[in-house]
Amino acid sequence: MELFKKELFDRGIKRVVVSEDEIRARIAEAGKYIDSIYDGRPILLVSILKGSFVFLADLARAVTVPCEIAFMAAKSYYESTQSSGIVHITMDLDRDISDCHVIIVEDIIDTGRTLADVVKLLRSREPLSLRVVTLLDKPERRAVPFEADMSLFTIPDLFVIGYGLDYGEYYRNLPYIAEYGE
Ligand code: IMP
Ligand code: MG
């Protein structure tokens, strides 16, 4: 990706899958959903880096309950098609969560392995409650059973980029979600 970098970059954006307007509308609904569940109680939004950073920024501004933010990054390693339950935390939370209503904020659920493991880990720390909100869900790709409490968009088995999601670390700053194509 060097000589005609910009040209190759642009060609990777095959077609828009979810527009900015659609994202904005669903995030407003997600904010109302969160407000209605927690009914004024403070929450802790836990963003799984890096993919969820854009979603987190917009979702946090759509809720009106008192809201703290925390970040973690995780990589999962698997020896077989079964979830090993081994999640490698490359960056852990900087706080105890035992007195928190936690919402994990994820960009996309694909095989489900990362979130299955992250949820298991955070549950072991005994928060007051734990829910998962994901921007995107690709249920066709699931390898371990996993369901989010709220998914903003269900998409078919496509590789998507933008709004936080990357291909080779590029495209995270696209304001919409697009299908990646070479
Ligand atoms: P899984 O659910 O454990 O398979 O992993 C989900 C992670 O894989 C997400 O958090 C993304 O970082 C990455 N991922 C899965 N599908 C896509 C995609 O279509 N585009 C970009 N990243 C993806
Ligand atoms: Mg991710």
Side-chain angles (χ1 to χ4, degrees), residues 48-52 74 105-109 114 164-166 172:
I48 312 296
L49 294 172
K50 300 176 193 173
S52 71
V105 179
E106 179 62 305
D107 53 356
I108 187 164
I109 308 176
T114 306
L165 291 114
D166 75 304
R172 293 191 194 275

Side-chain angles (χ1 to χ4, degrees), residues 46 48 72-74 76 78 83 85-89 92-93 97 102-106 109 112-127 129-134 144-150:
V46 171
I48 312 296
M72 68 187 294
S76 297
Y78 302 96
S83 177
I86 298 168
V87 58
H88 180 237
I89 304 298
D92 204 347
L93 297 172
I97 59 167
V102 172
I103 304 178
I104 298 173
V105 179
E106 179 62 305
I109 308 176
R113 286 171 171 146
T114 306
L115 269 186
D117 286 353
V118 168
V119 163
K120 198 184 292 175
L121 178 70
L122 293 194
R123 254 193 221 302
S124 74
R125 297 176 183 177
E126 303 185 329
S129 66
L130 182 63
R131 288 190 170 83
V132 174
V133 174
T134 185
V144 297
F146 190 87
E147 246 188 275
D149 295 279
M150 183 179 194

